[in-house]
Amino acid sequence: MTLKMDRRGFGRLMGGGASLWALASTGALAQANGSVRLIWWGNPERDKRTNAVVELYEGGGMGEVVPETYAWGDYWQKLATQAAGNSLPDVLQMDYRYIFEWARRGQLEPLDGYFGNEIDVSDYDENQLKGGMVDGKTYGISLGANSMTHVYNKAVLSNIGYELPDSTTWTTEDFVNIGKELKDQLPDGMAFSENMGSQEPRLQTWVRSRGKDLYTSEGELGFDVQDVIDYFVYWKMMQDEGLTQPADVQAQDSGKMEERMHVNGKSLFGFIHSNQLVGNQQLMTDEVDIVMIPNAGDSPGHYMKPSMFFSMSANAGDKAAAAKFISFFVSDEGANDILLIERGVTADASIRERITPGLTETEQKIIRFLNMVDTRVGALPPPPPANAGEIDRALRPAWESVAFGQVTPEEGATAWYDDAARILKR
């Protein structure tokens, strides 16, 4: 990451005022009166910090903010429902995999015209800003950099007296061998790893390590059906070997952080994004740590991505107010003293300089991890095509049909791959 230490000359004090809210039959709709509806996917720690920033914003007399939060698994369905009802919140948290789809469908407001006015990104890393661009316009402000990780219960490993190998060079075969070595030494009820057969980001690292990606720049599938077959075979083998929990136990994880296998002591390893480590640690008594994901090939599986964005609805009731809140969230010193790096390492150099000395040990782990990964990553993948979200959501039932023994890995993978190809052609 490029560090810029220029001090910001941009004033952060913003006007605005408290206002009333009107309720429509389809839900609370934004009004052109300085009020902002805000929505994000979160976890208990993120929710706490975000709500504290909202209180800071309102306490400064900058305007009213109505917050709304959901778990990742429920978030996108909620957004789709609100979009269909023309009642999207004014400011919405957006993911890299969906921003192209939402921007090209006209749901998001280009933000470039607010730069230097309502929105201050004068100290932002240029590469992070580019991550929010679609077809030459900026539709999202990066809330931080992150990368995919394996998280593990460090306290359990320490009690066993086991030291992991260098994660910058380990392979999926190494991971299996370590699991078999540790399997009988783990606490009762704890498997070696959560099962990641249904996780699209983990599948992405699998195909990238084979020199491919999920999608091409033309919006077609960037991998072969054999890659998915091998992926399903691998995770079915992990389940059959007892290195992951049985399918009925794994299925209890709906995607919420508090339901994850490693959080509940049901697995030693889990999969998260690096910015989630803070929220993950808050939910556990044992100390956790993060390592790189074992490679399944010779190419880098990792890449450095914007953790998430704040975007503005194209139909925001008060666009200037929405832009000012986005700016406050990403560049206000007081706000970022609260947020720190829970959503990823900030792209604002002056903010990063300000908050780094006061970071906790958990947050310092994220900084060290990203510094290590930064020299071993591949290029940012091509933008996901429209309907990529539907393909992502279809992966879980496809994998579970394999995990529960209803179909073979070959049958499950082929059916999902063919469905994905059909979805992209619609």
Side-chain angles (χ1 to χ4, degrees):
M1 291 176 290
T2 302
L3 297 177
K4 296 193 302 181
M5 298 302 175
D6 295 341
R7 294 302 305 170
R8 171 182 298 108
F10 192 91
R12 294 192 175 91
L13 295 177
M14 295 167 284
S19 56
L20 300 176
W21 284 89
L23 297 177
S25 58
T26 54
L29 300 178
Q31 306 297 303
N33 55 10
S35 296
V36 176
R37 287 179 59 211
L38 165 68
I39 190 170
W40 71 93
W41 72 85
N43 56 57
E45 181 64 21
R46 179 175 304 160
D47 298 347
K48 182 178 70 175
R49 296 188 188 216
T50 305
N51 285 321
V53 171
V54 167
E55 291 177 6
L56 181 66
Y57 187 81
E58 292 181 325
M62 299 175 181
E64 184 181 16
V65 179
V66 178
E68 192 176 347
T69 182
Y70 299 89
W72 170 270
D74 300 325
Y75 182 78
W76 298 103
Q77 183 59 49
K78 183 67 179 180
L79 270 193
T81 301
Q82 292 178 329
N86 198 30
S87 61
L88 272 180
D90 305 298
V91 176
L92 47 150
Q93 194 166 281
M94 183 56 58
D95 186 75
Y96 181 71
R97 76 177 59 246
Y98 294 115
I99 192 170
F100 297 86
E101 182 178 346
W102 280 71
R104 288 170 177 164
R105 287 181 174 177
Q107 298 285 358
L108 304 182
E109 170 81 0
L111 300 176
D112 308 84
Y114 301 93
F115 290 172
N117 298 302
E118 290 88 353
I119 298 179
D120 173 17
V121 286
S122 57
D123 274 354
Y124 247 62
D125 182 280
E126 288 295 326
N127 289 326
Q128 286 290 304
L129 278 180
K130 288 178 181 177
M133 296 186 73
V134 179
D135 301 330
K137 296 181 180 178
T138 306
Y139 288 94
I141 304 296
S142 172
L143 300 182
N146 76 4
S147 191
M148 296 166 280
T149 79
H150 270 4
V151 61
Y152 68 97
N153 189 317
K154 188 175 182 178
V156 168
L157 268 193
S158 297
N159 289 337
I160 294 174
Y162 189 89
E163 185 172 344
L164 292 174
D166 180 2
S167 73
T168 64
T169 58
W170 67 351
T171 66
T172 50
E173 184 177 354
D174 295 331
F175 193 63
V176 173
N177 290 335
I178 294 168
K180 290 179 178 177
E181 183 177 349
L182 293 177
K183 177 181 174 183
D184 295 331
Q185 303 178 62
L186 297 173
D188 290 343
M190 178 180 284
F192 174 64
S193 174
E194 71 172 332
N195 198 295
M196 306 174 193
S198 67
Q199 297 186 25
E200 190 205 50
R202 181 64 184 87
L203 172 62
Q204 186 179 32
T205 64
W206 179 276
V207 299
R208 283 175 62 89
S209 68
R210 294 179 164 194
K212 306 173 187 177
D213 214 316
L214 290 180
Y215 302 104
T216 68
S217 56
E218 291 76 31
E220 299 174 345
L221 293 175
F223 55 96
D224 302 311
V225 66
Q226 189 61 49
D227 296 312
V228 194
I229 292 173
D230 293 344
Y231 186 71
F232 279 4
V233 166
Y234 178 82
W235 286 108
K236 186 64 164 59
M237 175 275 298
M238 293 286 281
Q239 177 180 297
D240 292 344
E241 289 284 345
L243 300 180
T244 68
Q245 294 286 356
D248 60 328
V249 177
Q250 180 64 51
Q252 296 171 12
D253 172 6
S254 69
K256 297 177 181 177
M257 180 67 78
E258 53 268 38
E259 295 177 354
R260 302 296 292 273
M261 294 292 107
H262 68 280
V263 170
N264 289 300
K266 295 178 180 177
S267 71
L268 179 67
F269 277 89
F271 177 95
I272 62 172
H273 287 82
S274 56
N275 64 293
Q276 294 177 303
L277 185 65
V278 173
N280 193 142
Q281 183 64 78
Q282 290 287 338
L283 292 171
M284 296 179 65
T285 302
D286 288 348
E287 181 183 0
V288 295
D289 206 346
I290 50 178
V291 289
M292 291 185 69
I293 295 170
N295 249 23
D298 297 327
S299 299
H302 283 262
Y303 62 92
M304 197 74 77
K305 70 185 285 278
S307 60
M308 60 198 76
F309 306 95
F310 263 178
S311 296
M312 186 194 306
S313 166
N315 296 319
D318 189 332
K319 292 180 179 178
K324 288 175 180 177
F325 178 76
I326 291 173
S327 186
F328 180 82
F329 202 89
V330 301
S331 63
D332 181 81
E333 293 179 348
N336 282 275
D337 285 345
I338 296 169
L339 296 168
L340 296 175
I341 60 170
E342 195 282 326
R343 279 179 167 87
V345 177
T346 174
D348 186 305
S350 59
I351 291 294
R352 190 164 57 243
E353 180 184 21
R354 172 184 171 87
I355 66 175
T356 295
L359 294 178
T360 66
E361 172 57 23
T362 300
E363 292 159 339
Q364 294 286 355
K365 287 178 182 175
I366 298 173
I367 299 286
R368 291 195 294 270
F369 175 78
L370 291 180
N371 286 340
M372 176 180 68
V373 171
D374 197 30
T375 61
R376 297 171 173 83
V377 294
L380 195 66
N387 300 326
E390 184 178 350
I391 296 172
D392 176 15
R393 292 189 292 274
L395 183 60
R396 176 166 179 151
W399 160 251
E400 289 188 339
S401 69
V402 175
F404 281 97
Q406 298 164 345
V407 297
T408 67
E410 290 79 6
E411 291 169 338
T414 301
W416 178 76
Y417 186 90
D418 291 346
D419 280 348
R422 278 193 291 270
I423 289 170
L424 290 178
K425 289 180 180 177
R426 286 209 303 260

